[in-house]
Amino acid sequence: MKTLVYVEHDNQHLKDATLATVTAAAKLGDVDLLVAGSGCKAVADAASKIAGVGKVLLADDAAYEHQLAENVAPLVAGLMDGHDAFLSPATTTGKNIAPRVAAMLDVMQVSDIIGIEGDKTFVRPIYAGNAIATVESSDAKLVITVRGTAFDKAAAEGGSASIENVSGPGDAGLSSFVGAEVAASERPELTSAKVIVSGGRALKDAETFQQVIIPLADKLGAAVGASRAAVDAGYVPNDYQVGQTGKIVAPEVYIAVGISGAIQHLAGMKDSKTIVAINKDEDAPIFQVADIGLVADLFQAVPELTSKL
Amino acid sequence: MKILVPVKRVIDYNVRPRVKADGSGVDLANVKMSMNPFDEIAVEEAIRLKEKGAAEEIIAVSIGPAKAQETLRTALAMGADRAILVQTDDQVEPLAVAKILKAIADEEAPGIVMLGKQAIDDDSNQTGQMLAALMGRPQGTFASKVEVSGDSVTVTREVDGGLETESLKLPAVVTTDLRLNEPRYASLPNIMKAKSKPLATKSPADYGVDTTPRLKVTKVSEPPVRQAGVKVANVDELVAKLKALGVA
């Protein structure tokens, strides 16, 4: 099977989510990569070094600068004559583009896969991760999004793929990019962090969140996450949100502070290797999934923990 | 302009789904069902656009069993003007749903089709994007802000790194994210009024759409159960555990 993998990037850097998708694609067959963007040669160079890649297709055009689905989907659909499967990381970029590609090819997409059981058989979570479905596609071509935390990352070095320029229909003239507000963060990226410290509604306000959660995260070199309640209350920006509607994470250690453990939150973090919960309510559902629980007032326990680490 | 709002009847988001013992699916018998939470947000946004004068008519549509009527009545009680039920007892996949919606959009010519970003049962997050592709129209997915001006709509989208704003030519497809708005509750008088609002019943065949699934679900299983953990008595014990994990 010949697969085409969508490279997630910001026109300068290749994003890690791509590497897990390459691993998934390699289980199906030969892997080609598509870098669509503007002034993104550096990304194609980085992509060509990923181990196990056949070739890198580079579509460098102003129309692809912001990876608008209306412009990128026809480019991908056009490249599918020579490929049997299109795989994309299940990031917001992938989730935006891939279904548009699938409909253009008249195939059903398989979303957010966590396992591959055969050429056309995949495993994916449904009902916020409360059930795991095995599905078999009957379509001639496959369109798949891949959950990054479910597959190992392919080695970013060691490959020497050739880079080939490709072009598509360009600007569809339907949409335009107006602007972006990128949340500044010098911490490890949430979806690839080894340790995550996450705060919930119990943190009271933005200032308290900063005072309690951030020093602990700094001490552990951890990324910072949050429950939906904490985001809705304005303690942190929405891209910190972990859960069914936010980011899906699976770090080595997930420390949930003042988070009750609603099923929508658990959907985003219950595949973490070790879950630590600090909550003053000993009946909080989070303790049913936590490997290590501490029933305590977080305003005393967390600063004490930070100082003793 | 008209706004078309597709809504889905799903298991209530507070219910913990139970996997059937024979692995054939999730047990939905005698389980509370509700409107998909993202679709409530879509209905609310459509109503707000109508209240601002940006839209004249809101048409709610649902594809599913006869009981999906209840979901449509909820949308009517919130403020939708009329409803279309495309009745079928089959499981309809996002691609087939998108094809039915495309046929309805061809008839109704809405300026905006407003959908939820994903249904909380299949967690696919596909229908809106597929519909936009079939219609050949732009898509504003994961919207947290929607502003109509003239012949375009500006959509602020929730993306991984933060927010992104795009301008889309109308007609367009918009999918709603959680933070777009706080859906209103239907008042009792409005629930009564909704009973007399028009609701047309159709079938997938009326729109010439084949709903045969492309994906065969061969097995549905419980997720792996986490092993019972331990509770520590104090911070010192927690520190020791974290050190043992190599974190600290």
Side-chain angles (χ1 to χ4, degrees):
Chain A
M1 194 182 291
K2 287 195 73 172
T3 70
L4 182 66
V5 170
Y6 192 79
V7 174
E8 175 99 16
H9 66 87
D10 59 4
N11 290 314
Q12 286 148 35
H13 306 100
L14 181 138
K15 302 227 171 128
D16 266 7
T18 311
L19 300 175
T21 308
V22 168
T23 301
K27 287 179 196 272
L28 293 172
D30 301 336
V31 183
D32 290 344
L33 301 184
L34 171 63
V35 177
S38 179
C40 55
K41 180 68 169 53
V43 179
D45 289 340
S48 70
K49 296 191 185 109
I50 299 175
V53 171
K55 62 182 170 188
V56 175
L57 307 178
L58 171 60
D60 202 326
D61 186 323
Y64 306 131
E65 183 178 359
H66 302 291
Q67 302 178 54
L68 298 173
E70 296 80 4
N71 298 347
V72 173
L75 166 73
V76 176
L79 294 169
M80 288 309 287
D81 284 342
H83 294 90
D84 307 298
F86 174 65
L87 289 90
S88 164
T91 54
T92 49
T93 309
K95 288 173 179 176
N96 190 36
I97 293 169
R100 198 166 171 113
V101 173
M104 295 181 81
L105 300 173
D106 192 31
V107 305
M108 251 306 285
Q109 172 179 302
V110 190
S111 294
D112 217 7
I113 63 163
I114 58 170
I116 296 176
E117 292 203 339
D119 269 3
K120 298 214 158 188
T121 308
F122 306 95
V123 183
R124 60 178 302 262
I126 53 176
Y127 291 88
N130 285 291
I132 306 295
T134 305
V135 298
E136 193 183 332
S137 172
S138 61
D139 282 318
K141 293 202 190 276
L142 297 168
V143 175
I144 296 165
T145 60
V146 177
R147 180 171 293 194
T149 55
F151 294 88
D152 293 335
K153 293 186 181 100
E157 299 286 338
S160 56
S162 59
I163 299 175
E164 190 179 302
N165 284 299
V166 293
S167 59
D171 193 343
L174 295 169
S175 56
S176 56
F177 178 83
V178 177
E181 267 177 63
V182 178
S185 175
E186 283 164 22
R187 308 182 167 282
E189 205 188 340
L190 199 47
T191 49
S192 56
K194 286 202 166 60
V195 182
I196 294 173
V197 180
S198 230
R201 193 200 305 271
L203 271 306
K204 283 191 182 144
D205 54 42
E207 200 181 322
T208 318
F209 193 101
Q210 290 290 322
Q211 284 166 1
V212 176
I213 299 294
I214 302 300
L216 177 58
D218 284 344
K219 204 86 177 235
L220 297 170
V224 176
S227 70
R228 184 179 168 206
V231 172
D232 280 352
Y235 305 173
V236 287
N238 64 275
D239 54 305
Y240 282 53
Q241 186 182 325
V242 172
Q244 185 181 18
T245 61
K247 294 199 171 83
I248 312 281
V249 299
E252 297 284 314
V253 179
Y254 187 91
I255 305 178
V257 178
I259 290 176
S260 65
I263 57 176
Q264 292 82 3
H265 186 74
L266 300 183
M269 47 62 86
K270 70 189 167 103
D271 294 326
S272 304
K273 205 155 172 207
T274 302
I275 297 173
V276 179
I278 302 173
N279 204 301
K280 68 176 176 189
D281 174 10
E282 61 180 317
D283 295 323
I286 191 78
F287 286 121
Q288 291 165 21
V289 300
D291 300 281
I292 305 166
L294 173 63
V295 180
D297 181 351
L298 69 93
F299 296 106
Q300 282 156 19
V302 176
E304 187 186 342
L305 175 61
T306 307
S307 70
K308 285 181 174 169
L309 281 169
Chain B
M1 69 175 177
K2 292 182 191 174
I3 300 182
L4 188 68
V5 189
V7 294
K8 186 177 185 182
R9 178 178 183 263
V10 298
I11 190 169
D12 189 88
Y13 76 99
N14 281 312
V15 175
R16 182 175 287 275
R18 304 238 172 259
V19 174
K20 286 191 208 166
D22 65 359
S24 63
V26 166
D27 192 359
L28 296 177
N30 305 313
V31 168
K32 188 185 178 204
M33 305 290 278
S34 302
M35 189 190 295
N36 180 41
F38 292 100
D39 302 349
E40 287 187 348
I41 293 166
V43 174
E44 175 66 33
E45 194 64 18
I47 297 166
R48 290 187 189 187
L49 287 171
K50 190 180 168 190
E51 286 168 349
K52 277 189 230 163
E56 287 90 45
E57 191 186 29
I58 300 166
I59 307 153
V61 50
S62 193
I63 299 159
K67 282 194 169 169
Q69 265 200 38
E70 295 165 12
T71 310
L72 288 169
R73 292 288 172 204
T74 304
L76 293 169
M78 287 172 74
D81 296 292
R82 61 186 168 94
I84 301 168
L85 171 63
V86 182
Q87 197 174 320
T88 171
D89 287 326
D90 299 336
Q91 289 289 325
V92 186
E93 291 173 340
L95 181 62
V97 168
K99 287 179 179 176
I100 293 170
L101 294 174
K102 152 85 163 65
I104 295 174
D106 285 346
E107 278 178 10
E108 301 284 354
I112 294 177
V113 185
M114 186 88 72
L115 307 90
K117 80 164 178 183
Q118 77 191 63
I120 60 164
D121 51 2
D122 64 16
D123 283 332
S124 288
N125 195 332
Q126 300 177 13
T127 306
Q129 295 88 317
M130 288 182 156
L131 175 62
L134 297 176
M135 292 172 70
R137 301 308 314 169
Q139 64 190 46
T141 50
F142 328 139
S144 61
K145 197 171 165 198
V146 175
E147 277 177 295
V148 177
S149 59
D151 61 355
S152 69
V153 56
T154 303
V155 178
T156 300
R157 307 175 50 233
E158 302 219 351
V159 295
D160 285 334
L163 298 172
E164 198 172 282
T165 304
E166 288 174 22
S167 173
L168 313 175
K169 278 192 183 157
L170 292 173
V173 175
V174 175
T175 76
T176 61
D177 215 320
L178 276 177
R179 264 164 295 272
L180 179 56
N181 61 48
E182 186 83 34
R184 70 193 65 190
Y185 289 102
S187 67
L188 188 58
N190 285 340
I191 292 170
M192 298 312 287
K193 265 189 242 167
K195 289 183 199 284
S196 57
K197 287 186 178 175
L199 191 158
T201 303
K202 301 275 192 177
S203 76
D206 291 339
Y207 299 104
V209 174
D210 176 5
T211 58
T212 310
R214 306 286 188 87
L215 302 180
K216 186 173 145 203
V217 178
T218 55
K219 190 175 75 180
V220 175
S221 56
E222 294 271 2
V225 179
R226 292 190 72 95
Q227 292 208 321
V230 293
K231 285 217 174 105
V232 293
N234 53 48
V235 170
D236 290 326
E237 282 184 31
L238 179 55
V239 171
K241 289 270 184 195
L242 289 175
K243 286 194 169 147
L245 286 169
V247 175

